[in-house]
Amino acid sequence: MKSVLTDLYNGELCPSEQSKVILKAVTEHRDSLRIDDEIFKNKLNDELKYEFESLMSKHYCIWPDEIAEIFAEGFSLGLRIMIEATYN
C-alpha cells in the first residue's frame, strides 16, 4: 500500500489540483462572475483593461497561498480534535 504522507512529501499528491466543484450553486456563481467580468471589461478602454487584468492577475497569484493557509488551519484543527477525542 502506498503511503499518502510519502506521496504528499514528494510532491506526487496535490490536493488543490484534484479538487472539483460539486455544488451547482458554486458553478452558477462562478459563471455569473465571468459574465459580469466580461461586461465590465468591455466598458474599459484598452489601457484600463490592461491595468484591470494586471491587478486581477496579482490577486490570483496570492489565492493559492491563501487556500494553503486555510487548509493548514483546518487540517490542524482536525488533528487537535482527533487527539483530544483519543486521549480525553
Side-chain angles (χ1 to χ4, degrees), residues 76-88:
S76 178
L77 175 62
L79 287 176
R80 289 194 309 266
I81 290 169
M82 290 173 57
I83 290 169
E84 185 175 320
T86 302
Y87 293 106
N88 286 337

Side-chain angles (χ1 to χ4, degrees), residues 12-69:
E12 297 167 5
L13 177 64
C14 186
S16 64
E17 291 178 1
Q18 296 174 352
S19 67
K20 298 175 188 166
V21 177
I22 58 171
L23 299 175
K24 184 178 180 183
V26 173
T27 303
E28 290 172 351
H29 185 69
R30 185 177 28 197
D31 292 344
S32 175
L33 286 172
R34 282 189 190 128
I35 292 168
D36 292 344
D37 183 60
E38 285 302 314
I39 291 170
F40 177 75
K41 286 193 296 185
N42 287 335
K43 295 177 182 179
L44 303 175
N45 63 35
D46 288 343
E47 183 178 335
L48 287 175
K49 191 179 291 188
Y50 175 78
E51 191 174 331
F52 174 72
E53 289 175 352
S54 177
L55 177 64
M56 293 307 294
S57 180
K58 290 175 185 176
H59 282 285
Y60 294 139
C61 286
I62 65 168
W63 180 248
D65 296 333
E66 291 174 347
I67 294 298
E69 285 183 20

